[in-house]
Structure formats: C-alpha cells, structure tokens
Amino acid sequence: YANGTTVNLGGSEIVSSGGVASGTIINKGGTETVNNGGVDSGSTVSTGGTEIVNSGGVAINTYNAGYSNTGNAASAGSIQINNGGKELVNINGTVSYVTVNSGGVEQIASGGTVNYSIINNGGVEQIASGGIDYSTTINSGGSQVISKGGTANYSVVYSGGLETVASGGIDYLPVNSGGTENVLSGGKLVVNNGLTGISLNGGAILDLQNVIATKGSVNTTNQLLLTNGSTVVETLGLVGDNSNFGFSFKTDGAGGTLVTTTVIPPALSALTYNAATGQLSLTGTHLTSLASNYNLTSFTLKGDGNTSYTLTSGSSITGTPSNTAATIQLSAADQLAINGLLNKNGVQANDGVTTYNLSATANWDNGASAITTLAVTVNHFTAPSINGVAYNAATGVFTVTGANLDNHGSANGIALPNLTLSGGSGTYTFSATNDSVSNLSATGFSLALSAADKASVNSFITDNGTAPTSGAAYNLVATANWDSDSGAKITTQPVTVSGLQTVLTSVTYNAGTGVLTLSGHNLTTSAADYVASGLTLTGDGNTRYTLSSGSVVTGTPASNGSGVSLQLSATDQLAINGLLNNAGTLANDGTTTYNLSATSGWDVGAGAVSTQAVTVSNVTAPSINGVAYNAATGVF
C-alpha cells in the first residue's frame, strides 16, 4: 500500500505486499523500498538517497540524502547512514538501531526519538532542541553533540569518542569507557558513580544525583574531589587543563547538588629573569597547566633606556607549568635583545633611571586579562666583554669575539664611536654612519669598514700580525657602555692583522753556502707556503735562471713574517754562482745589476715581483789546480 506518495521524475518507490508507505516524497535519483512488514511514514528520499524499510522496521519523517536502511526494530544495526547520508528524525518520529558511519549525519529534531544508535569513526549524531536520544554508543572517532533543549540518556562513550554537551543540553547518566565528555558553558551532565573523562569548560554544570556536596577541588592527578565537610562524597576523573577552575554549589531540588564550573582568570604576582640561562620565571595564581595555552608574543619587557621589546614565537614554555608557576625559555634572538635591556642585577637598569617591568596583552594565558605593568627582578647578569679582535686588511672587516654580548633590543648593540683602533703612530675611531655591524650574537660580531675608512686604517696598518713595522702594537680601546648599555671600559685589547700583501725589501745571496735570503714584510711563516720555482735570478751577461724545485726553505721562516732563507740545490748553485759572480750588486761583466723577479704565488697569496735588487757575498773566483790527459781516450 502506498498512500499519499509523491514520486518525482527520476525517482523510484517499491512497496512489496505487506509493506506500507504513507506521505513519502521520492525525488529525482532517490530510491525507496518498503518490504513486507515495513512501515514508512512522511519520509523524504533526496537525489542519490536510498532507503530500505524491512519487516518490522519503522521510518517516520526521515530525510535521506544517502543510504538509510530501516530494518526490524529488534535487530541492531538496522539503519545504516553512510558517507553523505543524512537522517532527520522529526516530531513524533522514532528510529531505533541506527548505525552512523564516516561522513554520515543523524539529526534528532524536536519531538524525535532515537534508540540504540551506534556512531562510528567520522559519524555525527546531533540532538537538537526537543530531541531525545537513548543508549547511544559513541565509538572512537565518533561524535555526539547535544544542543540546547536536547537530551541524551545513558550514552556510552568509548576511547576516542567525543560527546559534547552544549549550553542548555542535558546528558543523563552517561557511561564513559575511555572517551571524553566535553561539557560546555551551560551544558549539564547528570552523573553518579565516579564518572571519568570529563572535559570541563567555564559555566559547565554537573548534577550529582543523590549527593550533597559543598566544596570542590582538583587534585594533582586531575581528579575533581567533591566534599561535604571533610568527607569526599564524589570523585570525578577530568581530562584537559582544569587548574584555573573554581566551583559553586546549590541543590538540584531532588536530593542532589548542582555544581557549576567557574573560570578564575590567571594572574601574575612576580617575575624573575635569569640572564645567564635566559629564563623568565612567572609566579602567580590559577595559571593553566598546558604550555600551549600561553601566547608568548603577548609579553613585552622594558629596560635600559626605557626601551621595550616584545618576545617572539621562538621563545617557549619549558617544563610543565603549575597553577602557581611557569618558566619561559627565551630564544637566542630574544636573549640577545633582553640581555641588553635587563642589563644589571636587581630591579633597575644600568642607565640608573629605568625600572624593569613587563606588560602583556589579554590571553597571555588562557582567559587571562591584560597586564599594564609588573616589576621584574634580574639575577645572574654578567657584563659583556671582548676577548679577541682580528682585522683582515684586504676586506676591511674586523672579527670580534667575546661573551655576553647583546643588541639592546632592536638596536645593533654596539656603540661604534666608543671604539678606537691604534697602531704605530696612527689611530682610527669607528663611525656609526660609515661602518656597519653584522652577525651579532652573544659571542661575537663582524664590523665592516667603508671604503674610505678602510683606506684610513690601512695607512698605518703596515704589517700582518700584532704590530706594524715600527711603533706601537695594534690595540683596540673602548669607553664605558661601548655595547650601548653595560660594557666596561677597555684599555688594552690586542688586534691581530692579516690580509696585507707580501712585500720584499731586500735579497742577499751567500755564494759560499748557496743560501738565498729574502727579507720583507708579511711573509708567511710556513716553509710549505714557498715555491722556489717561482723565483728567477738575473746576473752576468744579463742571463736569467729560474730555480728548480730542488731548492728548499732552510730553517724556519721568521715568526714575524720578516724573512725566509732558501738552500739552493747543487744544480741551482752551479748555475747561480756563474751569474752572481762578483761580490756586491754588479756582475763581473761590469754592466749587469743583479736582480730577482717572481711569479705570483711564490709565497702563498703573494703578488708577482718584477724586480728586486740582490746583494751577493762570499764569492770566490773559479781556479784550476790540476790537469791530466789520457792520450788513449783523448780526454783531459
């Protein structure tokens, strides 16, 4: 029998003998089958939907855009709502044994009743105002939402399942088997027998049936202990963060107690900063115990020079916060800034006028109000220092190493006009306008000179190492607060120079020993850096000879880069002694002046030498002291 049914173009309804369909609407692409003994009244099957009502099954006022199988009311799993499917149980509608699978939705509207539903992973059951649900099973990944005016009874929430009781919704006597009962503000959970897995929100209501309680507190194992006097009358297991909750009590009018959760905003009472570790310790009341609740970019610290700095997201909560304390570990970047502002132990900055303080925007901790100002106490501060300076004359870059350096908030942290370099008879005071600081960390920075300032410095930087060719050693001095805040005065800080071009000033050759001695500036101190085959000598008859690799450095090059000696091989001596054949600077031919030339790289990094005078000593003219002749061979 089909009574009052509307089948639109493309829809299909099949009612078998003994089946009844009344007031149904089948839209295009929808299919309904009512088998013998099945009853469907007032249902709508939309495009793509399929509804099958089997013997003993009753579907009343359902809306199906997916697949719904309403079977025997006594058989569990009779109705299947699959991905994209939706079943709406309206006024006077009753559906039993519904299984809601992933992507499916079961809605219980005003006047509708659902019994023994199973909500699987990805499925949702929504109980709206006036809807009633009995004995639903919520499996892992399944979700049940009880809205205002909706009622659930005896729900079973398994591990991974979630039941949410919204404002005005009520859940009577649920059974929790490892899932979560999320009670929102205004939602009511009617409980007894030590329910666990409760997630509270501010304004959540717990109705303790047949229990009189006057006080509640959360213990260290996250249990809500409800007491009457000194007697514990109910213990409820909580999940989530409950450290900033308070509880109010009144009778429920039926021999039980209504417990309402109230949120007590977190508040700070003291702040301490350890400059050595970069840890900011917060002390207060009702702080939340979840690190994720803290928004560290809400915090701004003020210090030296009345300068402010806001923490970045690189800083993080370290350890587990309690309701009275939390610790922030500042990132390296934040420490670099903060250590320049909180730059003296105690409560006042090194400038002598600024009192340290912290401010914060609202919700720096979950539910916390904004902080206008709160004093900060600093300990374990160590003033910055410099322990090494190196200068590369080729690039014009100083490399400075030290300890406890900082950048004074957003500034570069180094007051360049406070630094002066000296050496020989020259001095140079750095320029904040022309010179620049980079790569600043707690242990060092780089300082690059402008082209003009590099030329000025290099005019008195005449030798690599720690001192010029003459005059005072290289030295850096600094006035107090050279780092823009608390750096102590520096009177002596040696500077090591590198990068100056190798310069030859004289060459001598001892014809008696075959030793060639080179003197100059900035020669390397490693024998392996010299290439003998890069050297060419010119002598008698304007003849040139290039040394072979058989000639080698003898002894150790001068440690100050002033000279090196090469021992010529026997082959090279045989040649050179014929060219450098007269003591002094002029060859025996009377016209050739001795000189040395070199290709680039004859010393590591050294440039080519076009000509350098050579002075010869210990020349002994060749002589013959015996002659023999073999008449048989014709050999003298």
Side-chain angles (χ1 to χ4, degrees):
Y1 295 93
N3 303 310
T5 289
T6 299
V7 182
N8 290 316
L9 180 63
S12 172
E13 183 175 59
I14 301 171
V15 184
S16 299
S17 175
V20 177
S22 176
T24 58
I25 300 174
I26 314 300
N27 289 320
K28 181 179 179 179
T31 302
E32 178 181 61
T33 300
V34 184
N35 292 317
N36 181 22
V39 177
D40 185 7
S41 176
S43 295
T44 299
V45 183
S46 293
T47 300
T50 299
E51 185 168 58
I52 301 173
V53 186
N54 292 319
S55 178
V58 178
I60 302 175
N61 299 327
T62 63
Y63 171 79
N64 187 354
Y67 178 77
S68 176
N69 184 338
T70 306
N72 191 310
S75 174
S78 308
I79 302 176
Q80 296 279 337
I81 305 175
N82 293 317
N83 187 26
K86 182 178 182 181
E87 182 175 61
L88 175 63
V89 185
N90 284 319
I91 188 169
N92 297 323
T94 301
V95 176
S96 300
Y97 302 106
V98 177
T99 298
V100 185
N101 293 317
S102 179
V105 178
E106 179 180 54
Q107 293 181 329
I108 310 170
S110 178
T113 302
V114 172
N115 303 292
Y116 312 113
S117 291
I118 299 174
I119 316 299
N120 288 324
N121 184 29
V124 178
E125 180 182 65
Q126 299 169 343
I127 308 173
S129 179
I132 300 175
D133 177 78
Y134 289 95
S135 301
T136 288
T137 296
I138 306 166
N139 290 320
S140 179
S143 175
Q144 181 186 64
V145 180
I146 308 168
S147 300
K148 183 177 181 179
T151 303
N153 299 270
Y154 321 119
S155 295
V156 181
V157 187
Y158 287 101
S159 178
L162 173 65
E163 179 184 67
T164 300
V165 186
S167 179
I170 302 174
D171 186 18
Y172 285 96
L173 307 178
V175 177
N176 192 301
S177 295
T180 299
E181 303 279 352
N182 187 18
V183 189
L184 303 181
S185 179
K188 181 191 287 188
L189 202 61
V190 182
V191 299
N192 61 13
N193 299 326
L195 186 68
T196 63
I198 303 173
S199 174
L200 295 176
N201 292 267
I205 302 169
L206 303 176
D207 187 352
L208 309 179
Q209 290 204 318
N210 304 315
V211 172
I212 303 299
T214 58
K215 185 179 179 181
S217 62
V218 180
N219 64 14
T220 56
T221 58
N222 212 22
Q223 293 176 311
L224 174 56
L225 302 181
L226 298 165
T227 57
N228 186 353
S230 59
T231 303
V232 177
V233 293
E234 187 76 69
T235 301
L236 303 177
L238 304 180
V239 296
D241 180 31
N242 306 281
S243 54
N244 62 339
F245 284 156
F247 304 95
S248 59
F249 299 81
K250 68 178 182 180
T251 178
D252 67 356
T257 304
L258 292 178
V259 181
T260 302
T261 303
T262 57
V263 175
I264 303 175
L268 292 179
S269 57
L271 295 164
T272 303
Y273 178 63
N274 185 323
T277 62
Q279 291 187 342
L280 182 65
S281 298
L282 317 179
T283 302
T285 56
H286 300 99
L287 305 180
T288 62
S289 59
L290 290 180
S292 59
N293 283 346
Y294 291 81
N295 179 15
L296 302 189
T297 59
S298 296
F299 291 107
T300 297
L301 289 150
K302 182 178 290 187
D304 192 90
N306 206 36
T307 304
S308 297
Y309 179 85
T310 299
L311 297 186
T312 68
S313 57
S315 295
S316 60
I317 296 291
T318 182
T320 301
S322 69
N323 64 348
T324 59
T327 301
I328 301 172
Q329 177 60 63
L330 270 59
S331 66
D334 287 351
Q335 283 186 62
L336 197 65
I338 293 302
N339 283 5
L341 303 183
L342 310 185
N343 57 6
K344 187 179 180 182
N345 289 331
V347 297
Q348 191 175 65
N350 192 61
D351 62 12
V353 294
T354 304
T355 300
Y356 305 134
N357 72 84
L358 174 141
S359 60
T361 59
N363 288 316
W364 53 267
D365 186 8
N366 189 33
S369 301
I371 299 172
T372 304
T373 182
L374 183 63
V376 181
T377 301
V378 175
N379 57 43
H380 295 97
F381 175 80
T382 304
S385 61
I386 291 174
N387 53 37
V389 180
Y391 174 60
N392 187 320
T395 62
V397 174
F398 287 82
T399 300
V400 181
T401 57
N404 305 303
L405 302 174
D406 57 66
N407 67 5
H408 202 253
S410 59
N412 68 38
I414 305 298
L416 293 180
N418 289 35
L419 306 177
T420 298
L421 174 72
S422 63
S425 59
T427 61
Y428 172 75
T429 298
F430 293 89
S431 167
T433 302
N434 301 330
D435 306 331
S436 60
V437 172
S438 62
N439 303 319
L440 178 63
S441 71
T443 58
F445 60 91
S446 297
L447 200 169
L449 300 176
S450 66
D453 292 345
K454 174 185 170 185
S456 177
V457 168
N458 287 0
S459 67
F460 62 86
I461 299 293
T462 57
D463 215 351
N464 289 331
T466 58
T469 53
S470 64
Y474 305 129
N475 186 54
L476 180 77
V477 298
T479 59
N481 300 331
W482 52 267
D483 69 327
S484 300
D485 48 57
S486 55
K489 180 180 178 180
I490 299 172
T491 57
T492 302
Q493 176 57 57
V495 178
T496 301
V497 174
S498 63
L500 285 175
Q501 191 73 24
T502 300
V503 177
L504 281 181
T505 57
S506 69
V507 179
T508 61
Y509 178 63
N510 187 327
T513 61
V515 174
L516 183 70
T517 301
L518 313 178
S519 299
H521 306 297
N522 310 316
L523 278 72
T524 60
T525 58
S526 172
D529 289 338
Y530 293 90
V531 180
S533 59
L535 304 176
T536 298
L537 290 153
T538 300
D540 190 270
N542 204 36
T543 303
R544 295 162 58 87
Y545 180 83
T546 300
L547 299 184
S548 70
S549 59
S551 294
V552 295
V553 171
T554 181
T556 303
S559 60
N560 62 358
S562 62
V564 64
S565 294
L566 283 81
Q567 176 62 62
L568 271 58
S569 66
T571 300
D572 288 350
Q573 285 186 61
L574 194 64
I576 293 302
N577 284 3
L579 302 183
L580 310 185
N581 55 8
N582 191 36
T585 60
L586 190 68
N588 194 57
D589 62 10
T591 58
T592 304
T593 301
Y594 304 134
N595 73 83
L596 175 143
S597 62
T599 58
S600 60
W602 62 269
D603 183 6
V604 65
V609 178
S610 58
T611 182
Q612 175 63 48
V614 179
T615 301
V616 178
S617 64
N618 296 314
V619 174
T620 302
S623 62
I624 294 174
N625 55 31
V627 179
Y629 174 63
N630 187 323
T633 61
V635 175
F636 284 87

